[in-house]
Amino acid sequence: MTDMNENPLAILPELLLAASAVLGLLLGAWLPRNRQWIVGALAVVACVGGITAAAVAASGPPLTAFGDAYAVDPVTSTSRIVIIGGAVLVLALSASPLHAHPRESEFFVLIQLTALGSLVLAGAQDLLLLAAGYLLASIPAYTLAGFRKDGPGTEAALKYYVIGALLGVLMLTGITILYATGRATAYPALGAALRDAPEVLVATGTIGLLAGILFKAGAAPAHFWVPDAVQGSSPPVAALLTTLPKIGALAALFRLGDVVLSGSTLPWPALISVIAAVSMSLGNLAAFFQQDVKRLLAYSTISQVGYLLMPVAMAGRSDLAQEALLFYAAAYAVTNLGAFAVVCALPRALSVDDYRGLARQRPLLAVSLVICLLGLVGTPPTAVFVGKLEAFSAAFDGDYAWLAVLAAVNTVASLFYYLRWIMPALSRGTGNKLRGGDRGARGAAYTATAVSIGLGLAGGPVLAVLDGPLAT
C-alpha cells in the first residue's frame, strides 16, 4: 500500500518552479533592463531548491497526492532531478546571450514553465493531469522556439506549433475514448477497467494518446518537427527542446505502460518496440549527411529516443526496465546538453567544417565535444554506455532480443556521423568562427562532460537507488 495525502509539500519542487515563474514575471515588469538577470538568478535558486526537495522526497516511501492524481516515486523523483538539473544548465547557457535583452526575464520564466510542464508529465497518474502537463510543456516551448522573431525562428515556432496542436487534439481524442471505455481517468482504476474492455476501443484510444506523448518525446512518426524546430531556434532553446520535455514524456510513457496498459489486450511491448526500431533507424539514417551541427544533433536525438524507448517497451515485462530507463534518461540528458553547450560556446560555427582546428585553438572545448559525441554513441566510461547496456539487458530479459540486436547495429552506424564532426575538430586549422564565444557556455560544457563521466563511473551505486515500486 502507498500513502495518499493532500500535503502541498509532496509537490514542493513543482511549487518552487511555479512560484519562481510568477515572481519572475512580476519582477521583470519593473526591473531595469540591465537588472533582468535577477530573474535568472531567482530561477537558479528555485531550481536548486527543487533538486534538494526532490532528493529528500526520493529517500521516502512512494506516495500519491491530490486524489491519487500525482505520484511521487522513483520515476518522478529521478525525472525531477534530471529535468530541473537540465533547466539549470539551460539557464546557464542563456545568461550571456540574453543579457540586457528587453525580454530577458520572459525567457527565463518560459524555461521554468517548460520544465514545470515536463515535471507534471513525469508524475501525472491521471489522464486529465497528463493533458494539462502536455499543454504546460508545449505552449511555453512554442514561444521559446520563435523567441528571436527572425525568419528561421518564426518558421521553427510555426511548424512546432502546428504539429503540436494537431497531435494534441489527437491526444485529447484518445483520452476521451479511453475514458468512455474505462469510465475512469485515474491510472489504477483505468488499468483495471481496460483489462476486459473491447480491444478496438483500447487500441484506438491508446494510439491517440500516444500521438501527443510521442510528439513531446520526438519519436517517430511524430518527429517531423524536430530538425526544423531545433535548427531554427537559438542554441539554448534547441538544447531545451531536445532534453527536458523528452524526459517527462518518456517517464509518462513508462508509467502508462506499467500501470495502465501492461495487463490490457493491447500488445504494448510490440507496439513500442516497433516505434523504437523506426525512431533509432530513421534518426541515424537522416543524420548521416547533415552538415548543420544543430540539425545533426536534432536527428541524433530522434535516434536516441529510439534507444530510450527500449526499456519503455519492457514496462511490466522486465524488472530491469525501470532502472534502465531512468539511468539512460539521466545519461542522455547531461551528455546531450554537453554537446549543445559546445554549440552555444561557439555561436558562429554552424557547420561541422566550421569546427576545423578546434583542438588547436580551444583544446578543452574540443575534449568536451569529443567526449559528449562519443558518449552519445555509448563509449565507455561515459554514462550513456551504462544506460545502453542496461537498455539492451532489459530488451533481452523481456524476450525482445531482435530489438537489442537492431539497437547495437544502429549504435555502430551512428559512429559514422559523429566522427564526421569529430574529425574536423581534431584536424589542423585556424577557423575565424572558433574565436570569441561564451564563457558561461564553456563552463556548462565542462560541467556536463564531467558529470557524464562521473555518472558512468558510478553506474552501479546509482542504478541501485533507481529501483523501487511505483506509487499507485
Side-chain angles (χ1 to χ4, degrees), residues 37 46 53 71 100-101 131 143-144 167 203 211 286 300 332 364 381 399 417 424 436 451 472:
W37 61 267
H101 190 281
T143 308
L144 286 171
L167 297 181
S300 168
Y332 162 76
L364 290 179
D399 296 327
Y417 59 84
V451 173
T472 56

Side-chain angles (χ1 to χ4, degrees), residues 9-24:
L9 292 179
I11 56 169
L12 183 57
E14 291 79 5
L15 289 177
L16 287 173
L17 281 181
S20 175
V22 173
L23 184 57

Side-chain angles (χ1 to χ4, degrees), residues 309-407:
L309 284 172
M310 292 170 60
V312 173
M314 299 301 110
R317 190 179 180 94
S318 170
D319 294 335
L320 301 176
Q322 179 175 308
E323 60 186 50
L325 172 65
L326 297 179
F327 189 93
Y328 196 171
Y332 162 76
V334 69
T335 309
N336 184 67
L337 286 171
F340 269 105
V342 176
V343 175
C344 293
L346 302 169
R348 299 171 59 196
L350 304 180
S351 69
V352 293
D353 289 333
D354 292 338
Y355 282 76
R356 192 171 300 278
L358 179 63
R360 182 176 180 180
Q361 297 191 44
R362 297 189 179 278
L364 290 179
L365 209 55
V367 170
S368 293
L369 179 65
V370 170
I371 291 175
C372 288
L373 293 183
L374 291 181
L376 289 173
V377 176
T379 306
T382 59
V384 174
F385 168 74
V386 180
K388 279 193 175 181
L389 191 62
E390 288 294 311
F392 292 172
S393 300
F396 276 110
D397 186 57
D399 296 327
Y400 272 73
W402 68 267
L403 183 59
V405 171
L406 179 62

Side-chain angles (χ1 to χ4, degrees), residues 161-340:
Y161 166 73
V162 169
I163 296 177
L166 172 63
L167 297 181
V169 170
L170 291 178
M171 179 182 177
L172 292 175
T173 303
I175 289 174
T176 303
I177 294 173
L178 289 176
Y179 173 66
T181 304
R183 301 296 181 182
T185 57
Y187 286 5
L190 184 63
L194 294 183
R195 291 189 180 96
D196 300 320
E199 185 175 352
V200 174
L201 290 178
V202 175
T204 304
T206 301
I207 290 173
L209 179 60
L210 285 177
I213 303 178
L214 292 176
F215 163 75
K216 297 311 301 177
H223 67 283
F224 294 103
W225 63 273
V226 178
D228 292 328
V230 170
Q231 185 180 20
S233 304
S234 63
V237 173
L240 180 146
L241 296 180
T242 57
T243 307
L244 305 191
K246 184 185 301 292
I247 304 303
L250 289 167
L253 274 176
F254 183 84
R255 196 180 299 278
L256 279 169
D258 190 80
V259 179
V260 180
L261 297 168
S262 60
S264 70
T265 56
L266 183 76
W268 174 264
L271 175 62
I272 301 300
S273 294
V274 171
I275 296 173
V278 173
S279 297
M280 65 177 75
S281 301
L282 189 149
N284 280 330
L285 289 173
F288 277 157
F289 304 106
Q290 298 297 325
Q291 290 293 326
D292 186 281
V293 292
K294 287 195 293 183
R295 199 171 184 88
L296 187 151
L297 286 174
Y299 281 112
S300 168
T301 197
I302 295 172
S303 69
Q304 290 292 329
V305 78
Y307 306 129
L308 284 159
L309 284 172
M310 292 170 60
V312 173
M314 299 301 110
R317 190 179 180 94
S318 170
D319 294 335
L320 301 176
Q322 179 175 308
E323 60 186 50
L325 172 65
L326 297 179
F327 189 93
Y328 196 171
Y332 162 76
V334 69
T335 309
N336 184 67
L337 286 171
F340 269 105

